[in-house]
Amino acid sequence: MWGYDDYGECMSLAQLPGIRTSALVIDDARLEPIAAKVMAGERLSLEDGVALYRSPDLLALGWLANHVREKRHGDICYFNVNRHINPTNVCVAHCKLCAFGRSPDAPGAYTFALEEIWQRAAQGVREGATEFHLVGGLHPDLPFEYFLDLIRGLKARCPSVHLKAFTMVEVGYFARISKLSIRDTLLALKDAGVDSLPGGGAEIFNPRVRKVICDHKVSGQQWLNIARAAHQIGLRSNATMLYGHIESDEERVEHLLALRALQDETGGFVAFIPLAFHPENTGLAHLPKPTGFADLKTIAISRLLLDNFDHIKAYWIMLTPRVAQIALRFGADDIDGTVVEEKIYHDAGATTAQFTSRAQLERLIREAGRVPVERDTLYRPIDRAKMPPPPPQTGASLSIIV
């Protein structure tokens, strides 16, 4: 975006042409009443959100979002040492937005045996992971008990690692195949060892959009209802929005405000992650990718509208590390984690690395003018000096230095 390698030196914002760091300068007069509300700490409306999306004044949006971000977090930027685990890519949904899911007999389809997943997890513990992020496909033949056994085995073998597992879409599918209520499904997952839920599958809540991009998933309202039920039994979760496909500005804002309303009700969302649509290898491959301009605008608007969310994440896997660095001045206070093995975005054409070490993340954050703080899943600071040593390696496995 500004002509340097993913891990090359990043100029401070004060050095970038046109960036004003000392005072707000608004070129789009339509933003002036919205800026007044932001500076007064007032909640923004749907009309305000649409006006923000339609404004070309990206620098003013970034300044306002950065003001809110620094008021909450100062110069801190959070990251964690995590490992993504996708147990299967076999999926009955066949969503147009997805390049990850496969039919059971399709080339590239896989389902890991539980022992293989547990071995990958043990390697993650040796690499210092404090979180396992588990999501996968809606497999037509795996029973709910497979996933409960998976979680029980992980918790028994890696008791100190936070298990962030299964989207609202997966929970809805588990309830259907097990003939349990949503609440009882969530209670079973919690009893097995699930500690929190990721925020995937939200996409765009509007029924018009979902009918095109993910017609066989739970509806937007069902996603919200499952999140509500999870929060009610003490399972916190993240939330997401997939942008840059066929949705309108109004539909994006409505999505954000639906999340804000549920957060008002439950307080159960930990962080919000805007996700840019990657069209390659999907049923929507004719669409262009979102631009860096759209990425930064969406992060800024998310920070301004989601006044009751503590954290906005710049997911480096999706944004690229360099855009994620810039996003730390456009409202984001988190850059995600080490990840290690990401399949969903890379199947859709992502060209970023699948792994970034803890030292590299700290470097990215410092070069962006922020102070890195390693966190756990619930944003409690991690002190590596007080952590127990990792267990010894048993058997051959790949080693990644974090």
Side-chain angles (χ1 to χ4, degrees):
M1 185 172 178
W2 270 293
Y4 55 92
D5 294 336
D6 279 355
Y7 299 114
E9 287 196 16
C10 175
M11 294 182 290
S12 72
L13 286 184
Q15 295 173 288
L16 295 174
I19 294 284
R20 301 129 174 161
T21 57
S22 58
L24 172 61
V25 176
I26 296 177
D27 294 327
D28 182 357
R30 294 173 296 178
L31 295 183
E32 291 177 1
I34 300 174
K37 292 173 73 171
V38 171
M39 300 306 287
E42 297 177 15
R43 174 162 278 190
L44 301 186
S45 66
L46 185 148
E47 293 75 19
D48 293 331
V50 173
L52 292 172
Y53 264 113
R54 292 181 179 170
S55 174
D57 196 351
L58 180 63
L59 297 185
L61 293 182
W63 193 100
L64 291 168
N66 188 58
H67 169 79
V68 174
R69 178 244 194 270
E70 291 191 353
K71 191 174 181 180
R72 285 175 174 264
H73 302 291
D75 278 331
I76 286 174
C77 175
Y78 296 98
F79 73 97
N80 72 337
V81 177
N82 61 349
R83 186 180 181 113
H84 284 214
I85 300 174
N86 305 116
T88 181
N89 67 348
V90 175
C91 188
V92 300
H94 303 296
C95 298
K96 282 189 177 180
L97 62 83
C98 183
F100 172 72
R102 302 283 193 281
S103 297
D105 56 351
Y110 74 86
T111 299
F112 289 134
L114 293 182
E115 285 292 344
E116 186 170 359
I117 296 174
W118 294 332
Q119 182 181 3
R120 288 168 180 262
Q123 180 66 27
V125 174
R126 289 190 292 273
E127 293 160 1
T130 61
E131 172 192 289
F132 294 144
H133 178 118
L134 294 100
V135 299
L138 310 181
H139 198 296
D141 301 318
L142 290 178
F144 184 36
E145 196 64 29
Y146 166 92
F147 298 96
L148 295 178
D149 287 344
L150 164 61
I151 296 298
R152 292 186 192 108
L154 287 174
K155 188 59 72 174
R157 291 164 174 80
C158 314
S160 64
V161 178
H162 184 106
L163 302 184
K164 186 173 72 178
F166 309 126
T167 66
M168 314 308 167
V169 174
E170 290 169 280
V171 172
Y173 185 70
F174 295 157
R176 193 174 86 187
I177 64 174
S178 64
K179 297 181 172 54
L180 295 172
S181 68
I182 293 295
R183 180 181 174 85
D184 285 345
T185 302
L186 287 164
L187 286 170
L189 290 169
K190 184 178 180 181
D191 289 345
V194 168
D195 296 303
S196 70
L197 278 63
E203 322 308 3
I204 292 288
F205 292 142
N206 185 276
R208 177 195 75 84
V209 177
R210 293 185 88 81
K211 187 172 183 179
V212 175
I213 68 171
C214 57
D215 194 29
H216 298 99
K217 283 183 177 177
V218 296
S219 69
Q221 189 56 58
Q222 287 171 326
W223 191 100
L224 291 164
N225 289 342
I226 294 169
R228 176 184 291 107
H231 299 169
Q232 287 172 344
I233 66 165
L235 286 174
R236 302 194 69 187
S237 73
N238 288 337
T240 61
M241 178 178 73
L242 185 74
Y243 64 91
H245 39 90
I246 66 165
E247 83 287 2
S248 67
D249 293 338
E250 289 87 351
E251 287 161 345
R252 292 180 189 177
V253 175
E254 288 168 356
H255 182 104
L256 293 170
L257 296 190
L259 292 173
R260 189 174 76 181
L262 184 55
Q263 183 74 330
D264 278 343
E265 178 185 339
T266 69
F269 289 120
V270 179
F272 174 73
I273 309 102
L275 299 174
F277 177 57
H278 279 237
E280 293 178 37
N281 304 319
T282 76
L284 299 169
H286 61 284
L287 296 176
K289 292 181 180 179
T291 63
F293 189 98
D295 294 334
L296 295 174
K297 176 181 275 193
T298 298
I299 286 170
I301 293 171
S302 301
R303 179 64 284 167
L304 294 172
L305 287 178
L306 296 178
D307 52 47
N308 53 4
F309 276 66
D310 287 332
H311 304 286
I312 305 293
K313 187 179 291 188
Y315 186 32
W316 68 264
I317 282 275
M318 174 267 289
L319 292 173
T320 74
R322 60 184 179 226
V323 176
Q325 284 180 303
I326 299 160
L328 300 182
R329 298 283 174 169
F330 279 76
D333 64 278
D334 188 291
I335 205 167
D336 200 70
T338 50
V339 179
V340 178
E341 192 176 24
E342 197 284 332
K343 296 179 181 293
I344 295 172
Y345 265 95
H346 284 81
D347 283 351
T351 58
T352 52
Q354 293 196 45
F355 164 75
T356 293
S357 71
R358 185 168 70 244
Q360 286 172 319
L361 287 175
E362 290 178 344
R363 177 187 169 194
L364 287 171
I365 292 166
R366 288 195 179 96
E367 288 177 347
R370 298 303 192 189
V371 178
V373 173
E374 185 181 349
R375 59 163 178 87
D376 67 8
T377 307
L378 300 179
Y379 286 83
R380 295 169 297 207
I382 293 287
D383 185 348
R384 287 275 159 187
K386 295 181 180 179
M387 292 181 67
Q393 181 171 331
T394 56
S397 60
L398 295 175
S399 179
I400 299 175
I401 299 171
V402 301

